[in-house]
Amino acid sequence: MTNILVVADIKQGVLKGSTAELLSKARALGASTATVAVGSNIAGLASQLAAAGSDTQYIVDDPSLEIFSAKPFAEAVVKAAREFNADMVWFGFSESGKAAAPRVAVQLEAACANEITDAAIDGDTVHIVRPAIANKVLQKVKINAPKLVAVVRAGAFEADPEIAGKENVVTLDPPEKDMKAVVRELISDASGEIDLADADIVVSVGRGAKDKAGVDLVKGLAEDLAAGFGSSRAMVDAGFMAHNKQVGQTGKIVAPSLYIAVGISGAIQHLAGMNGSKVILAVNKDPEAPIFNVADFGIVGDLFDVIPLLKEEIKKIRA
Amino acid sequence: MKILTTVKKVVDVELNIHVENGAIVEKGLQYVINAWDENAVEAAVQINESHKAETTLVTLGSGDHTDIIRKCYAMGIDNGIHIDDPALEKADSATFAKVIQKIYEAGDYSLVITGKQAQDTDAGQAGIMLGEFLEIPCVSNVIEIKVIDDTHIQVSRLGDAGTEIVDVTLPAVVTVSDSINEPRLPAMRGIMMAKKKKITVMDLAGLGTSFEEVGGTALKSEVTAFMAQEKRKGGQKFEGDPAEVTAKVVQLLVNEAKVL
Ligand SMILES: Cc1cc2nc3c(=O)[nH]c(=O)nc-3n(C[C@H](O)[C@H](O)[C@H](O)COP(=O)(O)OP(=O)(O)OC[C@H]3O[C@@H](n4cnc5c(N)ncnc54)[C@H](O)[C@@H]3O)c2cc1C
Ligand SMILES: Nc1ncnc2c1ncn2[C@@H]1O[C@H](COP(=O)(O)O)[C@@H](O)[C@H]1O
C-alpha cells in the first residue's frame, strides 16, 4: 500500500481547492492518504481536511508559522512524512510548495519533481508526467528512489465530490525558526480580490493597453464578468499591475473555462501559464500576433474600440 | 565578498522543439545561456559595482561552453570555471548541485546566486538543494538583493501571500526570478576584453570527484521518454466592423462554447 501525504494549501487561513484535487487523485491511485497543515490558527481546518479526502490530519499550528518561511515549513512537512511513513509527498502548485519540495526531498532522500501533471503506480514503480522546456514538451519520468516529493501543476487533477476521509488529528510540535533567514516583513497582496487560481473566467491585460486608463478599461470588463484580473509580465514590469497578477511561466498558472487575453502578444512564457484554459478569446490589433495561434476565438481590432463594445454585449446577455 | 553564480547552457526555448520516437530531435536546436541565469549574472555584477565583490561563474556540461562564458565575462563577471565532462549529460538537478557544492567548497564564497530554474528542465531544484547540502540558508524566487554588510544581505522574494522581506546571514544561496533585473547587453569594450580572459576548464576528476560521488550513477529519477504537447489550434478569427465582430463573438461564446 502506498502512503501519500498531501500538504494542505492554505492561503490567508482558507483551504484552497487544490488540496481536495490532490487527495482525490491519491485515493484514485489506491493510496492511503494523510494531510499536513502548517500555519498559525489552522487547527480548525482539520474537519475540512478530512472532508477533502484525508484519513489522518497532521496539524502543525504555531504563531511562529504565521508568515511563510521555507526552512521551518519544510521541517514540519518532513516530520509529518516520517510519522506517516509517506512514500510520496505532494504539494499543491504554490510558491511555498516550490520552495519547500527540494528541501523535503533532500531530507527524505527522495526523488523530486516539479509541476507533475500525472502520476501512476505500476507495481513497485512510480511514473510521473511533467512538462519541460517552457511547457513545450512533456517528460515521462520513472522514479528510482523509494520516495518521491512532487509539486503538482495547477489544474492537473480534478476533485471527486464523492470522496471523503475521516477525522484523525495528530498534533505535531512546531519546528524551530530559521535564525539565518528571518522573514522580517510580509507586504501582503491586496485582499478581497478574486484569486486567479480559483477564477472560472480570467481576463488578462497586456502592453497593448498602454497605460493606466487602458488597464482600468480592461479591469472594468473583468469586473463585469466577476472574473479574475491577470496580466502579462510587460504590464507588471511597467508597474501597472502587481506581481501576483502575472500569468505565465514565472507567474500564475491558470486553467479557467474562459481566458480573455487583451493586448497580449502571446510569448511562450505567457502561453505556458494559460494554454490549459478551456476556451481562449484574444483581442489584438495585429492579425499575426502569436496569441491567435492558440485562441479559439480571436477579435482583430483596437482594444480601445473592442472592449467597450464587449462590455455592452455582455451587459445585454446578462440582463 | 566573493560571489559564485551558476550558469547553464540550455536549449533555446524560442525555437520549435520536435519530438520523435520519445526523444527530442537534435537537428535545428540552438543552445543559449539559461534566461534566469542571465538574471543571476546581472545581479552579481550589480553587487560588484555597488559593493566591490569578486564574481565567479561556474557552468557544468559537456562540450564547448566558451560562448556563454564569454558573454558573462562581457557582462562583467571576473572568473569562469567550466566543468566539462561527458558524464554530466546524464546529470539531474541534485547531481549538478553536488558538483556546485564541490566548487563552492574549493573557494571562499559568501554568496551563491543561481537562476530560479533551468529552462530545459524547468525543475527549480539545484539552487535550493545546494543550500540544503551545504546547510546554509537559501531564499528562492528572489526579486531584490540588498547588501547590508560583508555577512548580511536583505532580499525580497515573491511568495504566495505577497512579497516577503528576508534578513539573511551569509554565506547563503539565493535563486533569482526574472523580475529581479533586466540583464544588460554587453558593450563593445566588454566583448573585446572578454575574448582575452582565461577560462578554467576541468573534468570531474580534475575537481577531485567522480560522477559516482555526486550521485550521478544512482539517479533518483530518470526521464524515460519525451512526448509532444497537445498543440492548441487557432480557431475562428474575426476582422472587420468592431461592433459586428464583437456581437458575433459574444454569441459564439454563449451558444457554441457555452462559457458565458
Ligand atoms: C525567463 C522569462 C520569463 C518570463 N515569464 C513571463 C511570464 O510569466 N508571463 C508573461 O506574460 N511574460 C513572461 N515573460 C516575458 C515574455 O517573454 C513577453 O515579453 C511578455 O509576455 C510580453 O507581454 P505583452 O504580450 O503584454 O507585450 P507585447 O509582447 O509587447 O505585446 C503587446 C501586444 O499588444 C498588441 N496591441 C498593441 N496595441 C493594441 C491595441 N490598441 N489594441 C489591441 N492590441 C494591441 C500588439 O499587437 C502586441 O501583440 C518572460 C520572459 C523571460 C525571458
Ligand atoms: N549544468 C548546470 N551548470 C550550471 N548551473 C546549473 C546547472 N544546472 C542547474 N544549474 C543552476 O541551477 C538552477 C536551477 O536548475 P534546475 O534545478 O535544473 O531548474 C539553474 O538556473 C542554474 O543556475
Side-chain angles (χ1 to χ4, degrees), chain A residues 5-6 23 27 33-37 43 45-60 80 84 164-172:
Chain A
L5 176 70
V6 171
L23 285 165
R27 292 182 89 105
T33 56
T35 44
V36 55
L45 293 177
S47 58
Q48 283 180 50
L49 290 168
S54 65
D55 286 337
T56 303
Q57 297 79 35
Y58 296 99
I59 304 289
V60 192
F84 184 52
K166 55 176 192 287
E167 207 167 317
N168 170 32
V169 177
V170 180
T171 308
L172 299 177

PDB file of all heavy atoms in Angstrom, chain A residues 5-6 23 27 33-37 43 45-60 80 84 164-172:
ATOM      1  N   LEU A   5       1.178  11.637   1.349  1.00  0.00           N
ATOM      2  CA  LEU A   5       0.944  12.789   2.224  1.00  0.00           C
ATOM      3  C   LEU A   5       0.736  14.013   1.347  1.00  0.00           C
ATOM      4  O   LEU A   5       1.590  14.357   0.528  1.00  0.00           O
ATOM      5  CB  LEU A   5       2.152  13.016   3.141  1.00  0.00           C
ATOM      6  CG  LEU A   5       2.085  14.254   4.037  1.00  0.00           C
ATOM      7  CD1 LEU A   5       1.031  14.095   5.130  1.00  0.00           C
ATOM      8  CD2 LEU A   5       3.450  14.543   4.670  1.00  0.00           C
ATOM      9  N   VAL A   6      -0.418  14.661   1.511  1.00  0.00           N
ATOM     10  CA  VAL A   6      -0.711  15.877   0.745  1.00  0.00           C
ATOM     11  C   VAL A   6      -0.538  17.075   1.683  1.00  0.00           C
ATOM     12  O   VAL A   6      -1.097  17.105   2.779  1.00  0.00           O
ATOM     13  CB  VAL A   6      -2.143  15.836   0.167  1.00  0.00           C
ATOM     14  CG1 VAL A   6      -2.520  17.193  -0.442  1.00  0.00           C
ATOM     15  CG2 VAL A   6      -2.258  14.732  -0.886  1.00  0.00           C
ATOM     16  N   LEU A  23      -5.866  15.015  -3.104  1.00  0.00           N
ATOM     17  CA  LEU A  23      -6.333  13.870  -2.307  1.00  0.00           C
ATOM     18  C   LEU A  23      -7.193  12.929  -3.149  1.00  0.00           C
ATOM     19  O   LEU A  23      -7.113  11.710  -3.022  1.00  0.00           O
ATOM     20  CB  LEU A  23      -7.103  14.366  -1.081  1.00  0.00           C
ATOM     21  CG  LEU A  23      -6.218  14.940   0.038  1.00  0.00           C
ATOM     22  CD1 LEU A  23      -7.050  15.729   1.034  1.00  0.00           C
ATOM     23  CD2 LEU A  23      -5.445  13.820   0.747  1.00  0.00           C
ATOM     24  N   ARG A  27      -6.326   9.013  -3.765  1.00  0.00           N
ATOM     25  CA  ARG A  27      -7.260   7.920  -3.465  1.00  0.00           C
ATOM     26  C   ARG A  27      -7.555   7.104  -4.715  1.00  0.00           C
ATOM     27  O   ARG A  27      -7.693   5.876  -4.651  1.00  0.00           O
ATOM     28  CB  ARG A  27      -8.536   8.474  -2.836  1.00  0.00           C
ATOM     29  CG  ARG A  27      -8.284   9.055  -1.445  1.00  0.00           C
ATOM     30  CD  ARG A  27      -9.556   9.562  -0.817  1.00  0.00           C
ATOM     31  NE  ARG A  27     -10.247   8.526  -0.071  1.00  0.00           N
ATOM     32  CZ  ARG A  27     -10.261   8.443   1.260  1.00  0.00           C
ATOM     33  NH1 ARG A  27      -9.629   9.339   1.995  1.00  0.00           N
ATOM     34  NH2 ARG A  27     -10.918   7.476   1.859  1.00  0.00           N
ATOM     35  N   THR A  33      -4.155   7.999   2.607  1.00  0.00           N
ATOM     36  CA  THR A  33      -3.892   9.430   2.500  1.00  0.00           C
ATOM     37  C   THR A  33      -3.819  10.108   3.860  1.00  0.00           C
ATOM     38  O   THR A  33      -4.527   9.747   4.796  1.00  0.00           O
ATOM     39  CB  THR A  33      -5.011  10.120   1.706  1.00  0.00           C
ATOM     40  OG1 THR A  33      -6.252   9.828   2.347  1.00  0.00           O
ATOM     41  CG2 THR A  33      -5.055   9.659   0.265  1.00  0.00           C
ATOM     42  N   ALA A  34      -2.972  11.110   3.924  1.00  0.00           N
ATOM     43  CA  ALA A  34      -2.923  11.995   5.081  1.00  0.00           C
ATOM     44  C   ALA A  34      -2.649  13.393   4.558  1.00  0.00           C
ATOM     45  O   ALA A  34      -2.176  13.562   3.437  1.00  0.00           O
ATOM     46  CB  ALA A  34      -1.824  11.561   6.042  1.00  0.00           C
ATOM     47  N   THR A  35      -2.987  14.382   5.379  1.00  0.00           N
ATOM     48  CA  THR A  35      -2.624  15.754   5.036  1.00  0.00           C
ATOM     49  C   THR A  35      -1.799  16.314   6.178  1.00  0.00           C
ATOM     50  O   THR A  35      -1.931  15.896   7.324  1.00  0.00           O
ATOM     51  CB  THR A  35      -3.854  16.674   4.873  1.00  0.00           C
ATOM     52  OG1 THR A  35      -4.750  16.420   5.943  1.00  0.00           O
ATOM     53  CG2 THR A  35      -4.537  16.472   3.554  1.00  0.00           C
ATOM     54  N   VAL A  36      -0.962  17.293   5.839  1.00  0.00           N
ATOM     55  CA  VAL A  36      -0.299  18.053   6.885  1.00  0.00           C
ATOM     56  C   VAL A  36      -0.629  19.521   6.659  1.00  0.00           C
ATOM     57  O   VAL A  36      -0.516  20.028   5.548  1.00  0.00           O
ATOM     58  CB  VAL A  36       1.229  17.803   6.933  1.00  0.00           C
ATOM     59  CG1 VAL A  36       1.909  18.053   5.594  1.00  0.00           C
ATOM     60  CG2 VAL A  36       1.870  18.656   8.030  1.00  0.00           C
ATOM     61  N   ALA A  37      -1.114  20.162   7.728  1.00  0.00           N
ATOM     62  CA  ALA A  37      -1.437  21.586   7.656  1.00  0.00           C
ATOM     63  C   ALA A  37      -0.443  22.331   8.530  1.00  0.00           C
ATOM     64  O   ALA A  37      -0.264  22.004   9.692  1.00  0.00           O
ATOM     65  CB  ALA A  37      -2.866  21.830   8.140  1.00  0.00           C
ATOM     66  N   ALA A  43      -5.799  24.930  13.284  1.00  0.00           N
ATOM     67  CA  ALA A  43      -6.277  23.653  13.822  1.00  0.00           C
ATOM     68  C   ALA A  43      -7.729  23.410  13.424  1.00  0.00           C
ATOM     69  O   ALA A  43      -8.147  22.265  13.229  1.00  0.00           O
ATOM     70  CB  ALA A  43      -6.124  23.639  15.338  1.00  0.00           C
ATOM     71  N   LEU A  45      -9.063  23.673  10.725  1.00  0.00           N
ATOM     72  CA  LEU A  45      -9.248  23.163   9.357  1.00  0.00           C
ATOM     73  C   LEU A  45      -9.336  21.642   9.304  1.00  0.00           C
ATOM     74  O   LEU A  45      -9.633  21.074   8.248  1.00  0.00           O
ATOM     75  CB  LEU A  45      -8.083  23.615   8.463  1.00  0.00           C
ATOM     76  CG  LEU A  45      -7.968  25.127   8.179  1.00  0.00           C
ATOM     77  CD1 LEU A  45      -6.727  25.402   7.341  1.00  0.00           C
ATOM     78  CD2 LEU A  45      -9.216  25.631   7.456  1.00  0.00           C
ATOM     79  N   ALA A  46      -9.089  20.969  10.448  1.00  0.00           N
ATOM     80  CA  ALA A  46      -8.998  19.506  10.433  1.00  0.00           C
ATOM     81  C   ALA A  46     -10.211  18.831   9.793  1.00  0.00           C
ATOM     82  O   ALA A  46     -10.059  17.920   8.976  1.00  0.00           O
ATOM     83  CB  ALA A  46      -8.782  18.992  11.855  1.00  0.00           C
ATOM     84  N   SER A  47     -11.418  19.293  10.137  1.00  0.00           N
ATOM     85  CA  SER A  47     -12.597  18.615   9.586  1.00  0.00           C
ATOM     86  C   SER A  47     -12.695  18.840   8.079  1.00  0.00           C
ATOM     87  O   SER A  47     -13.086  17.942   7.328  1.00  0.00           O
ATOM     88  CB  SER A  47     -13.872  19.073  10.304  1.00  0.00           C
ATOM     89  OG  SER A  47     -13.990  20.468  10.179  1.00  0.00           O
ATOM     90  N   GLN A  48     -12.302  20.034   7.627  1.00  0.00           N
ATOM     91  CA  GLN A  48     -12.292  20.279   6.172  1.00  0.00           C
ATOM     92  C   GLN A  48     -11.277  19.387   5.471  1.00  0.00           C
ATOM     93  O   GLN A  48     -11.500  18.933   4.346  1.00  0.00           O
ATOM     94  CB  GLN A  48     -11.904  21.729   5.888  1.00  0.00           C
ATOM     95  CG  GLN A  48     -13.016  22.733   6.118  1.00  0.00           C
ATOM     96  CD  GLN A  48     -12.522  24.143   5.796  1.00  0.00           C
ATOM     97  OE1 GLN A  48     -11.952  24.388   4.745  1.00  0.00           O
ATOM     98  NE2 GLN A  48     -12.738  25.052   6.723  1.00  0.00           N
ATOM     99  N   LEU A  49     -10.151  19.170   6.140  1.00  0.00           N
ATOM    100  CA  LEU A  49      -9.116  18.320   5.543  1.00  0.00           C
ATOM    101  C   LEU A  49      -9.596  16.873   5.437  1.00  0.00           C
ATOM    102  O   LEU A  49      -9.282  16.173   4.474  1.00  0.00           O
ATOM    103  CB  LEU A  49      -7.824  18.395   6.368  1.00  0.00           C
ATOM    104  CG  LEU A  49      -7.097  19.738   6.292  1.00  0.00           C
ATOM    105  CD1 LEU A  49      -6.002  19.817   7.347  1.00  0.00           C
ATOM    106  CD2 LEU A  49      -6.506  19.946   4.900  1.00  0.00           C
ATOM    107  N   ALA A  50     -10.368  16.460   6.432  1.00  0.00           N
ATOM    108  CA  ALA A  50     -10.954  15.111   6.371  1.00  0.00           C
ATOM    109  C   ALA A  50     -11.980  15.054   5.237  1.00  0.00           C
ATOM    110  O   ALA A  50     -11.963  14.123   4.424  1.00  0.00           O
ATOM    111  CB  ALA A  50     -11.592  14.765   7.710  1.00  0.00           C
ATOM    112  N   ALA A  51     -12.819  16.065   5.169  1.00  0.00           N
ATOM    113  CA  ALA A  51     -13.846  16.091   4.114  1.00  0.00           C
ATOM    114  C   ALA A  51     -13.206  16.100   2.732  1.00  0.00           C
ATOM    115  O   ALA A  51     -13.739  15.553   1.770  1.00  0.00           O
ATOM    116  CB  ALA A  51     -14.739  17.322   4.295  1.00  0.00           C
ATOM    117  N   ALA A  52     -12.031  16.721   2.638  1.00  0.00           N
ATOM    118  CA  ALA A  52     -11.337  16.800   1.347  1.00  0.00           C
ATOM    119  C   ALA A  52     -10.761  15.450   0.924  1.00  0.00           C
ATOM    120  O   ALA A  52     -10.351  15.285  -0.225  1.00  0.00           O
ATOM    121  CB  ALA A  52     -10.225  17.847   1.410  1.00  0.00           C
ATOM    122  N   GLY A  53     -10.718  14.478   1.876  1.00  0.00           N
ATOM    123  CA  GLY A  53     -10.302  13.138   1.472  1.00  0.00           C
ATOM    124  C   GLY A  53      -9.120  12.556   2.215  1.00  0.00           C
ATOM    125  O   GLY A  53      -8.562  11.545   1.796  1.00  0.00           O
ATOM    126  N   SER A  54      -8.713  13.149   3.335  1.00  0.00           N
ATOM    127  CA  SER A  54      -7.580  12.566   4.075  1.00  0.00           C
ATOM    128  C   SER A  54      -8.081  11.768   5.272  1.00  0.00           C
ATOM    129  O   SER A  54      -9.079  12.123   5.900  1.00  0.00           O
ATOM    130  CB  SER A  54      -6.620  13.668   4.546  1.00  0.00           C
ATOM    131  OG  SER A  54      -7.239  14.518   5.485  1.00  0.00           O
ATOM    132  N   ASP A  55      -7.368  10.697   5.595  1.00  0.00           N
ATOM    133  CA  ASP A  55      -7.748   9.842   6.726  1.00  0.00           C
ATOM    134  C   ASP A  55      -6.961  10.145   7.993  1.00  0.00           C
ATOM    135  O   ASP A  55      -7.286   9.653   9.064  1.00  0.00           O
ATOM    136  CB  ASP A  55      -7.583   8.365   6.340  1.00  0.00           C
ATOM    137  CG  ASP A  55      -8.693   7.935   5.386  1.00  0.00           C
ATOM    138  OD1 ASP A  55      -9.762   8.586   5.385  1.00  0.00           O
ATOM    139  OD2 ASP A  55      -8.477   6.979   4.623  1.00  0.00           O
ATOM    140  N   THR A  56      -5.879  10.921   7.850  1.00  0.00           N
ATOM    141  CA  THR A  56      -5.142  11.414   9.019  1.00  0.00           C
ATOM    142  C   THR A  56      -4.792  12.870   8.735  1.00  0.00           C
ATOM    143  O   THR A  56      -4.459  13.217   7.599  1.00  0.00           O
ATOM    144  CB  THR A  56      -3.844  10.615   9.239  1.00  0.00           C
ATOM    145  OG1 THR A  56      -4.187   9.233   9.379  1.00  0.00           O
ATOM    146  CG2 THR A  56      -3.107  11.088  10.490  1.00  0.00           C
ATOM    147  N   GLN A  57      -4.901  13.703   9.778  1.00  0.00           N
ATOM    148  CA  GLN A  57      -4.559  15.115   9.608  1.00  0.00           C
ATOM    149  C   GLN A  57      -3.451  15.466  10.595  1.00  0.00           C
ATOM    150  O   GLN A  57      -3.678  15.466  11.805  1.00  0.00           O
ATOM    151  CB  GLN A  57      -5.790  16.020   9.863  1.00  0.00           C
ATOM    152  CG  GLN A  57      -6.940  15.792   8.875  1.00  0.00           C
ATOM    153  CD  GLN A  57      -7.766  14.530   9.224  1.00  0.00           C
ATOM    154  OE1 GLN A  57      -7.952  14.211  10.396  1.00  0.00           O
ATOM    155  NE2 GLN A  57      -8.227  13.822   8.202  1.00  0.00           N
ATOM    156  N   TYR A  58      -2.270  15.736  10.075  1.00  0.00           N
ATOM    157  CA  TYR A  58      -1.181  16.225  10.915  1.00  0.00           C
ATOM    158  C   TYR A  58      -1.308  17.738  10.988  1.00  0.00           C
ATOM    159  O   TYR A  58      -1.406  18.410   9.958  1.00  0.00           O
ATOM    160  CB  TYR A  58       0.180  15.826  10.332  1.00  0.00           C
ATOM    161  CG  TYR A  58       0.371  14.322  10.312  1.00  0.00           C
ATOM    162  CD1 TYR A  58       0.154  13.594   9.151  1.00  0.00           C
ATOM    163  CD2 TYR A  58       0.750  13.654  11.476  1.00  0.00           C
ATOM    164  CE1 TYR A  58       0.305  12.217   9.137  1.00  0.00           C
ATOM    165  CE2 TYR A  58       0.902  12.267  11.463  1.00  0.00           C
ATOM    166  CZ  TYR A  58       0.679  11.559  10.295  1.00  0.00           C
ATOM    167  OH  TYR A  58       0.823  10.204  10.287  1.00  0.00           O
ATOM    168  N   ILE A  59      -1.331  18.266  12.201  1.00  0.00           N
ATOM    169  CA  ILE A  59      -1.500  19.704  12.374  1.00  0.00           C
ATOM    170  C   ILE A  59      -0.262  20.279  13.048  1.00  0.00           C
ATOM    171  O   ILE A  59       0.143  19.814  14.116  1.00  0.00           O
ATOM    172  CB  ILE A  59      -2.749  20.011  13.238  1.00  0.00           C
ATOM    173  CG1 ILE A  59      -4.014  19.363  12.641  1.00  0.00           C
ATOM    174  CG2 ILE A  59      -2.928  21.522  13.410  1.00  0.00           C
ATOM    175  CD1 ILE A  59      -4.526  19.973  11.371  1.00  0.00           C
ATOM    176  N   VAL A  60       0.341  21.245  12.401  1.00  0.00           N
ATOM    177  CA  VAL A  60       1.481  21.952  12.982  1.00  0.00           C
ATOM    178  C   VAL A  60       1.055  23.412  13.079  1.00  0.00           C
ATOM    179  O   VAL A  60       1.086  24.153  12.099  1.00  0.00           O
ATOM    180  CB  VAL A  60       2.753  21.798  12.115  1.00  0.00           C
ATOM    181  CG1 VAL A  60       3.972  22.281  12.890  1.00  0.00           C
ATOM    182  CG2 VAL A  60       2.940  20.350  11.655  1.00  0.00           C
ATOM    183  N   ALA A  80       5.942  15.254   9.461  1.00  0.00           N
ATOM    184  CA  ALA A  80       4.691  14.544   9.163  1.00  0.00           C
ATOM    185  C   ALA A  80       4.956  13.360   8.228  1.00  0.00           C
ATOM    186  O   ALA A  80       4.402  12.275   8.403  1.00  0.00           O
ATOM    187  CB  ALA A  80       3.680  15.514   8.543  1.00  0.00           C
ATOM    188  N   PHE A  84       4.026   9.512   9.126  1.00  0.00           N
ATOM    189  CA  PHE A  84       3.063   8.798   8.280  1.00  0.00           C
ATOM    190  C   PHE A  84       3.745   7.691   7.479  1.00  0.00           C
ATOM    191  O   PHE A  84       3.075   6.850   6.888  1.00  0.00           O
ATOM    192  CB  PHE A  84       2.406   9.810   7.329  1.00  0.00           C
ATOM    193  CG  PHE A  84       1.315   9.252   6.464  1.00  0.00           C
ATOM    194  CD1 PHE A  84       0.251   8.543   7.005  1.00  0.00           C
ATOM    195  CD2 PHE A  84       1.332   9.460   5.080  1.00  0.00           C
ATOM    196  CE1 PHE A  84      -0.768   8.038   6.200  1.00  0.00           C
ATOM    197  CE2 PHE A  84       0.312   8.958   4.269  1.00  0.00           C
ATOM    198  CZ  PHE A  84      -0.729   8.253   4.832  1.00  0.00           C
ATOM    199  N   ALA A 164     -14.565  11.336   0.602  1.00  0.00           N
ATOM    200  CA  ALA A 164     -14.401  11.960   1.923  1.00  0.00           C
ATOM    201  C   ALA A 164     -13.532  11.046   2.764  1.00  0.00           C
ATOM    202  O   ALA A 164     -13.541   9.828   2.597  1.00  0.00           O
ATOM    203  CB  ALA A 164     -15.755  12.159   2.586  1.00  0.00           C
ATOM    204  N   GLY A 165     -12.764  11.639   3.664  1.00  0.00           N
ATOM    205  CA  GLY A 165     -11.925  10.850   4.564  1.00  0.00           C
ATOM    206  C   GLY A 165     -12.530  10.830   5.949  1.00  0.00           C
ATOM    207  O   GLY A 165     -13.721  11.067   6.112  1.00  0.00           O
ATOM    208  N   LYS A 166     -11.718  10.505   6.938  1.00  0.00           N
ATOM    209  CA  LYS A 166     -12.225  10.539   8.305  1.00  0.00           C
ATOM    210  C   LYS A 166     -11.283  11.358   9.191  1.00  0.00           C
ATOM    211  O   LYS A 166     -10.090  11.451   8.922  1.00  0.00           O
ATOM    212  CB  LYS A 166     -12.411   9.120   8.847  1.00  0.00           C
ATOM    213  CG  LYS A 166     -11.175   8.245   8.775  1.00  0.00           C
ATOM    214  CD  LYS A 166     -11.462   6.898   9.429  1.00  0.00           C
ATOM    215  CE  LYS A 166     -10.184   6.112   9.639  1.00  0.00           C
ATOM    216  NZ  LYS A 166      -9.604   5.550   8.420  1.00  0.00           N
ATOM    217  N   GLU A 167     -11.868  11.924  10.249  1.00  0.00           N
ATOM    218  CA  GLU A 167     -11.066  12.810  11.076  1.00  0.00           C
ATOM    219  C   GLU A 167     -10.206  11.999  12.049  1.00  0.00           C
ATOM    220  O   GLU A 167     -10.720  11.169  12.793  1.00  0.00           O
ATOM    221  CB  GLU A 167     -11.974  13.800  11.815  1.00  0.00           C
ATOM    222  CG  GLU A 167     -11.250  15.087  12.134  1.00  0.00           C
ATOM    223  CD  GLU A 167     -12.200  16.202  12.572  1.00  0.00           C
ATOM    224  OE1 GLU A 167     -13.272  16.362  11.951  1.00  0.00           O
ATOM    225  OE2 GLU A 167     -11.860  16.900  13.535  1.00  0.00           O
ATOM    226  N   ASN A 168      -8.929  12.225  12.001  1.00  0.00           N
ATOM    227  CA  ASN A 168      -7.983  11.570  12.901  1.00  0.00           C
ATOM    228  C   ASN A 168      -6.805  12.532  13.058  1.00  0.00           C
ATOM    229  O   ASN A 168      -5.849  12.507  12.294  1.00  0.00           O
ATOM    230  CB  ASN A 168      -7.534  10.222  12.288  1.00  0.00           C
ATOM    231  CG  ASN A 168      -6.382   9.619  13.058  1.00  0.00           C
ATOM    232  OD1 ASN A 168      -6.282   9.795  14.272  1.00  0.00           O
ATOM    233  ND2 ASN A 168      -5.486   8.929  12.355  1.00  0.00           N
ATOM    234  N   VAL A 169      -6.940  13.417  14.035  1.00  0.00           N
ATOM    235  CA  VAL A 169      -5.998  14.528  14.146  1.00  0.00           C
ATOM    236  C   VAL A 169      -4.765  14.153  14.955  1.00  0.00           C
ATOM    237  O   VAL A 169      -4.874  13.599  16.039  1.00  0.00           O
ATOM    238  CB  VAL A 169      -6.691  15.761  14.783  1.00  0.00           C
ATOM    239  CG1 VAL A 169      -5.693  16.903  14.984  1.00  0.00           C
ATOM    240  CG2 VAL A 169      -7.856  16.207  13.903  1.00  0.00           C
ATOM    241  N   VAL A 170      -3.598  14.432  14.404  1.00  0.00           N
ATOM    242  CA  VAL A 170      -2.339  14.223  15.115  1.00  0.00           C
ATOM    243  C   VAL A 170      -1.633  15.582  15.178  1.00  0.00           C
ATOM    244  O   VAL A 170      -1.346  16.180  14.150  1.00  0.00           O
ATOM    245  CB  VAL A 170      -1.431  13.213  14.373  1.00  0.00           C
ATOM    246  CG1 VAL A 170      -0.129  13.017  15.137  1.00  0.00           C
ATOM    247  CG2 VAL A 170      -2.159  11.885  14.177  1.00  0.00           C
ATOM    248  N   THR A 171      -1.401  16.050  16.381  1.00  0.00           N
ATOM    249  CA  THR A 171      -0.739  17.350  16.524  1.00  0.00           C
ATOM    250  C   THR A 171       0.764  17.156  16.635  1.00  0.00           C
ATOM    251  O   THR A 171       1.222  16.317  17.404  1.00  0.00           O
ATOM    252  CB  THR A 171      -1.267  18.068  17.780  1.00  0.00           C
ATOM    253  OG1 THR A 171      -2.698  18.078  17.690  1.00  0.00           O
ATOM    254  CG2 THR A 171      -0.767  19.494  17.868  1.00  0.00           C
ATOM    255  N   LEU A 172       1.510  17.895  15.848  1.00  0.00           N
ATOM    256  CA  LEU A 172       2.981  17.786  15.871  1.00  0.00           C
ATOM    257  C   LEU A 172       3.583  19.059  16.463  1.00  0.00           C
ATOM    258  O   LEU A 172       3.026  20.144  16.320  1.00  0.00           O
ATOM    259  CB  LEU A 172       3.527  17.569  14.454  1.00  0.00           C
ATOM    260  CG  LEU A 172       3.075  16.296  13.720  1.00  0.00           C
ATOM    261  CD1 LEU A 172       3.654  16.282  12.306  1.00  0.00           C
ATOM    262  CD2 LEU A 172       3.494  15.039  14.473  1.00  0.00           C
TER     263      LEU A 172
END
